[in-house]
Amino acid sequence: MHEALRQHLELESFFTGFSLKSPKSPALNPQAPAPQNQDPTQDLVALATQITQCQECTLCSTRRHAVPGEGNPHARLMFVGEAPGATEDRQGRPFVGNAGQLLDKIIQACGLRREDVYITNILKCRPPGNRDPLPEEITQCIPYLKMQIALIAPEVIVALGAHAARTLLDKPDGIGALRGRFWSFTVSPGATPIKVMPTYHPAYLLHNYSTDNRKRVWEDMKKVMSHLGMPIPQR
Ligand code: URA
């Protein structure tokens, strides 16, 4: 299956070279019609089905539900977290527990709704006891995220926390060193580079709440909104 995903990614980058995907998708305006022949909805549904049946690593034996991700197939903005937690594992949806409620507030503070963006994780299944993802689990699972990124073609990815940021940027640094500025992620050779803004994970914010940390996340999100040409709500 990973071979099939790899081939699909190569095809995607081949088509990207011919601009099949508009670099500016309409998405933050959910009323905007999808460009003709560019609707990734069906491919995302097929991919989600594949993910729910995945048995590539041992997490399939402990999960209740795989959590493929959800949101606007034309999103200009994508959030990538670490892995589903207990609530997400029960519901099969990303960021629906306490951290998810804080993420919803961050999205709303930006003047957006959850349905306007796409939300997913590096790992699609919950590591038992919420332990850190293992390198081999990331290696097995990352083709799914790459497919999602290739299909949705967001303009900006917000990497939530150290695991998402390190994986996307291929850097060993902590989130404190990575956050606050744009990096670049290229889903496959020849594809258009996508801006990545690392910021603190909402669960980290919940456990290390301080005005300074909250302000740092807001500063990061303001840079994202500014890059997307969105008005910045005054606080
Ligand atoms: N934490 C994550 O990283 N992802 C989720 O979906 C929920 C909590």
Side-chain angles (χ1 to χ4, degrees):
M1 178 176 51
H2 282 174
E3 178 62 10
L5 282 172
R6 191 187 59 74
Q7 285 170 357
H8 197 129
L9 270 174
E10 278 179 7
L11 262 184
E12 190 67 29
S13 69
F14 178 78
F15 286 132
T16 305
F18 290 89
S19 300
L20 257 184
K21 264 189 197 310
S22 148
K24 295 248 177 245
S25 58
L28 290 180
N29 173 7
Q31 314 306 336
Q36 293 239 316
N37 302 325
Q38 295 182 21
D39 190 344
T41 307
Q42 290 312 314
D43 285 345
L44 283 169
V45 170
L47 184 60
T49 304
Q50 255 188 331
I51 292 169
T52 57
Q53 295 165 358
C54 181
Q55 302 198 339
E56 293 289 331
C57 80
T58 54
L59 295 182
C60 69
S61 62
T62 48
R63 74 180 177 218
R64 286 202 207 172
H65 294 102
V67 181
E70 66 185 26
N72 186 338
H74 303 282
R76 295 174 65 199
L77 178 56
M78 181 186 249
F79 289 87
V80 177
E82 176 180 326
T87 316
E88 291 76 18
D89 178 63
R90 267 197 305 276
Q91 297 189 25
R93 296 181 57 209
F95 281 98
V96 286
N98 291 339
Q101 283 168 25
L102 182 52
L103 179 60
D104 286 350
K105 285 189 189 146
I106 293 169
I107 293 169
Q108 282 160 19
C110 296
L112 294 168
R113 299 164 311 165
R114 201 175 152 102
E115 313 88 87
D116 296 329
V117 303
Y118 198 87
I119 304 174
T120 188
N121 284 299
I122 298 286
L123 293 191
K124 309 306 189 198
C125 297
R126 181 190 184 213
N130 295 350
R131 64 158 169 72
D132 286 350
L134 300 175
E136 56 269 30
E137 291 164 353
I138 295 178
T139 302
Q140 292 295 337
C141 212
I142 203 71
Y144 293 130
L145 177 62
K146 288 188 175 176
M147 267 305 293
Q148 290 171 321
I149 294 172
L151 287 167
I152 295 165
E155 287 165 61
V156 176
I157 297 171
V158 173
L160 297 168
H163 288 284
R166 284 184 193 140
T167 303
L168 287 171
L169 307 179
D170 197 18
K171 299 223 169 262
D173 311 69
I175 190 65
L178 296 174
R179 61 153 286 275
R181 70 175 172 109
F182 283 113
W183 301 77
S184 188
F185 176 76
T186 306
V187 75
S188 58
T192 307
I194 296 169
K195 298 270 185 207
V196 177
M197 173 60 73
T199 196
Y200 290 122
H201 194 289
Y204 173 86
L205 272 190
L206 286 174
H207 292 120
N208 302 273
Y209 189 81
S210 70
T211 314
D212 279 353
N213 282 342
R214 199 196 63 179
K215 274 190 189 153
R216 287 185 185 114
V217 172
W218 184 235
E219 289 305 314
D220 299 346
M221 293 311 301
K222 281 202 289 191
K223 288 178 190 160
V224 169
M225 286 184 274
S226 167
H227 179 81
L228 293 171
M230 292 168 50
I232 296 172
Q234 297 306 311
R235 321 215 76 214

